[in-house]
Amino acid sequence: MVGHENGNGSSSKDGARRRKTGLIVAGAAAKGPFAAGALKTISRDERFDVRAVAGASSGALNAAVYAAGLRVGKEKEAADLLCDLWKERASFTRIAFARQRRKIVFNALKQFKGPTTKEIRLRVVTSSLWGKHDDFGHLRFERSFDFGPDAFQDDKSLRWIAEVCVASAAIPIPSTRTVRRIWDSTGTAASSTMHPSGGRSKPRRSITSSS
């Protein structure tokens, strides 16, 4: 989905009016490669001056890498990289575990470190089956994480973006353990592993399961 900000905007090389644009990248694993292809087309269209990107699930992975490229003026390279990653790295054996997915996303984000040339915003939407009550008493199952341009400049921040994106794009895998995410009073998620015996391992401060 593409949204435009009202206003005259700037002009592209061919004289067409450029408009400040926000992108919403949809989720669902099978749609990830198609979304990457759409981003490749948008990255080469001079009409779009993208300043904000939001995504959930597989869309979060696409959105983060594309936003990283936008920040340094390399959106075409970021879109190309996403297409390559979906073709070459998306087999089940390479993404079965969260640590594998975190590494793929982190390494992709690292390729676009450097001085900021465009102020961009990234929003990643995650969810929890247990939810959390908001200030009005409503039970909500989603939580948004917002990142500005400064969040893309050091490895620690990039690892956190990768962690959030992988949590958004969780893949349910049958095993002898059931992983439960508990949203604590600070609004973060504590992950605790439930064993078949009924015992519980020590909670680990994270928004993803240990894989």
Side-chain angles (χ1 to χ4, degrees):
M1 180 181 292
V2 179
H4 298 294
E5 179 182 283
N6 292 330
N8 293 329
S10 58
S11 296
S12 62
K13 294 178 182 178
D14 60 4
R17 188 176 68 180
R18 300 190 74 201
R19 306 171 100 183
K20 291 183 179 180
T21 304
L23 301 177
I24 300 175
V25 190
K31 295 181 181 178
F34 295 96
L39 291 174
K40 184 173 182 176
T41 298
I42 291 173
S43 71
R44 287 157 170 79
D45 193 322
E46 292 289 339
R47 294 173 298 173
F48 300 116
D49 180 15
V50 180
R51 299 300 183 95
V53 190
S57 189
S58 63
L61 309 178
N62 283 326
V65 176
Y66 192 69
L70 279 169
R71 185 185 68 86
V72 294
K74 295 183 177 180
E75 58 268 35
K76 293 179 183 178
E77 292 86 343
D80 290 344
L81 175 61
L82 284 169
C83 290
D84 291 340
L85 288 175
W86 282 108
K87 286 190 295 185
E88 300 170 4
R89 303 296 300 276
S91 63
F92 181 78
T93 56
R94 293 184 176 183
I95 63 171
F97 298 104
R99 63 176 179 271
Q100 294 174 300
R101 303 193 294 279
R102 285 194 294 266
K103 183 177 180 180
I104 291 172
V105 177
F106 172 70
N107 287 338
L109 294 171
K110 277 184 63 177
Q111 296 191 35
F112 302 102
K113 291 174 66 176
T116 298
T117 61
K118 177 185 284 190
E119 295 290 321
I120 58 90
R121 306 293 300 181
L122 168 68
R123 171 167 289 186
V124 176
V125 180
T126 63
S127 63
S128 167
L129 291 177
W130 282 263
K132 186 180 190 309
H133 286 91
D134 62 17
D135 295 338
F136 301 97
H138 301 137
L139 183 62
R140 303 181 65 89
F141 295 92
E142 77 283 352
R143 183 184 177 197
S144 297
F145 292 80
D146 294 317
F147 303 95
D150 292 343
F152 294 86
Q153 297 186 14
D154 63 85
D155 285 358
K156 182 178 180 180
S157 296
L158 293 181
R159 291 186 189 281
W160 175 238
I161 294 175
E163 179 90 6
V164 172
C165 288
V166 169
S168 180
I171 299 177
I173 301 174
S175 68
T176 57
R177 302 179 302 172
T178 302
V179 177
R180 178 179 181 181
R181 295 187 182 90
I182 304 172
W183 289 69
D184 64 18
S185 59
T186 64
T188 59
S191 177
S192 62
T193 303
M194 305 295 293
H195 295 276
S197 62
R200 178 178 295 175
S201 63
K202 183 179 181 180
R204 185 174 62 90
R205 300 281 300 185
S206 175
I207 62 167
T208 61
S209 62
S210 57
S211 300

